[in-house]
Amino acid sequence: MSEMLQQYPIINGKEIHVRTWNPEGGETVICWHGLARNSIDFVAIGDELAAKGYRVIAPDTLGRGLSQWADSPKREYSYANYLEMATAIMDFYRCERVHWVGTSMGGLIGMLLAASEEESERIGSLVLNDIGPEVPTDALKRIVSYVKESMVFQRYSEINQYLQTLYQPFGPHTSQEWQLMISASIRRLDGGGYTTHYDPEILAGYDANAPVLNLWRQFAKLAQPTMLMHGLHSDVLTKDIVKRMREVQPHMAVNYYLGCGHAPNLFYQSYRKDVVHFIESHSLGDGMMREPNRDAS
């Protein structure tokens, strides 16, 4: 099994933490996490794909995990900037074509890249983990409410319980998986307390009065093999949205998961096996150049 590496390339002037596996491997898989998550969510599938010969790249988005925070939150914590950084990461690692596995926000980034005129050819296959071209208003309000609330806990046991409750919709975890995920989801404050790992300003650009998310036009343009993961109790990806997605993209593979909501976690073997099978079923051919661009910035 390939050892996981933790790298800190400078991407568009910011130091970004990237977990990588199998740097000399074959086809490349980019795994991109959700809004308030980080790359720890992909350690299990990274190990599994690397053992099968794939190169795996899982960044922490700007302001999350161990990546640098933004200097101008309203501008930098935006999909426009995330797309630029995703493209720059592919350039840094010299990715010609990749399999893209995106959870929630990471799926939206992949969808936008796959639908764009400039980058669509680089996305060879696309996995959308519990995300569609729109997000119901109530679900968005729920997410915004907990992300914007800066919680502080004095004891590890308190933040541990809070996060286990918050992430219960992700589905089954072993005790070891919970601890691995939670240990990478918190940070100490100057006063000694605990809080969540991400910059509390990641929603600085959020405008409750802005038009609702509508990426149906982009979704309709997808020409890549696409797989949708749907947590059956999800409030972010509803059954009605899935129904419409299947009408717009009738060849899209859809996998349904009992016992979880938003979003099915890829620590759980039963969930990630479908992703691995999908990737193995859609070869990219020569989809990468092996040596990263050491001079990228």
Side-chain angles (χ1 to χ4, degrees):
M1 180 182 296
S2 173
E3 180 181 357
M4 182 189 74
L5 306 175
Q6 298 191 72
Q7 301 175 321
Y8 292 82
I10 304 300
I11 304 296
N12 291 357
K14 290 291 190 292
E15 185 180 74
I16 299 299
H17 173 238
V18 184
R19 299 178 193 270
T20 64
W21 291 257
N22 213 13
E24 300 300 324
E27 296 181 0
T28 299
V29 182
I30 292 184
C31 298
W32 208 289
H33 60 78
L35 174 68
R37 295 298 308 136
N38 63 68
S39 60
I40 196 67
D41 294 347
F42 301 110
V43 293
I45 196 168
D47 286 344
E48 187 167 340
L49 287 167
K52 292 176 176 289
Y54 293 92
R55 177 175 68 159
V56 183
I57 299 169
D60 287 348
T61 308
L62 182 73
R64 284 78 161 179
L66 296 176
S67 286
Q68 191 172 349
W69 289 9
D71 295 314
S72 303
K74 285 188 177 181
R75 177 181 61 82
E76 293 180 75
Y77 295 139
S78 66
Y79 277 97
N81 191 48
Y82 298 154
L83 291 170
E84 288 182 8
M85 298 198 82
T87 300
I89 285 172
M90 288 193 286
D91 290 343
F92 179 84
Y93 286 100
R94 297 190 181 274
C95 302
E96 293 180 353
R97 298 185 75 216
V98 303
H99 302 278
W100 187 282
V101 178
T103 297
S104 196
M105 179 190 76
L108 293 177
I109 294 170
M111 186 190 305
L112 289 166
L113 289 169
S116 70
E117 293 183 7
E118 298 83 5
E119 305 298 335
S120 60
E121 292 299 319
R122 299 178 83 169
I123 309 299
S125 74
L126 177 64
V127 175
L128 301 173
N129 186 4
D130 209 66
I131 193 66
E134 64 179 275
V135 175
T137 301
D138 287 347
L140 183 59
K141 287 180 178 178
R142 175 183 64 80
I143 294 169
V144 168
S145 67
Y146 80 75
V147 173
K148 293 194 80 169
E149 184 178 6
S150 186
M151 302 286 286
V152 178
F153 302 86
Q154 294 307 311
R155 298 179 184 275
Y156 176 83
S157 60
E158 295 170 351
I159 195 168
N160 183 12
Q161 184 58 52
Y162 167 74
L163 290 177
Q164 286 204 35
T165 301
L166 182 66
Y167 295 138
Q168 200 64 44
F170 284 17
H173 291 73
T174 65
S175 177
Q176 182 179 11
E177 288 165 351
W178 271 123
Q179 296 312 313
L180 177 63
M181 188 175 82
I182 289 171
S183 66
S185 301
I186 62 177
R187 59 186 172 89
R188 283 277 194 187
L189 294 168
D190 289 345
Y194 291 99
T195 191
T196 44
H197 64 95
Y198 50 84
D199 182 351
E201 293 294 314
I202 59 172
L203 286 178
Y206 172 72
D207 181 358
N209 298 314
V212 297
L213 179 74
N214 185 335
L215 298 181
W216 286 105
R217 179 179 61 83
Q218 290 88 342
F219 180 70
K221 291 173 65 176
L222 298 180
Q224 299 86 351
T226 301
M227 175 182 133
L228 179 67
M229 304 177 70
H230 179 209
L232 283 171
H233 302 293
S234 175
D235 62 343
V236 172
L237 183 67
T238 65
K239 293 179 176 64
D240 287 342
I241 294 173
V242 173
K243 181 176 182 292
R244 184 177 172 189
M245 291 174 75
R246 298 192 74 164
E247 292 169 352
V248 172
Q249 290 283 358
H251 299 296
M252 178 180 66
V254 182
N255 291 279
Y256 300 92
Y257 302 99
L258 289 167
C260 73
H262 184 74
N265 83 81
L266 296 176
F267 280 102
Y268 192 46
Q269 185 177 19
S270 180
Y271 298 168
R272 71 175 183 265
K273 71 177 183 180
D274 293 325
V275 179
V276 173
H277 176 72
F278 178 78
I279 289 170
E280 289 183 311
S281 300
H282 295 91
S283 175
L284 302 179
D286 185 12
M288 62 168 282
M289 295 174 68
R290 294 172 183 254
E291 288 297 324
N293 180 4
R294 307 294 180 186
D295 299 324
S297 61

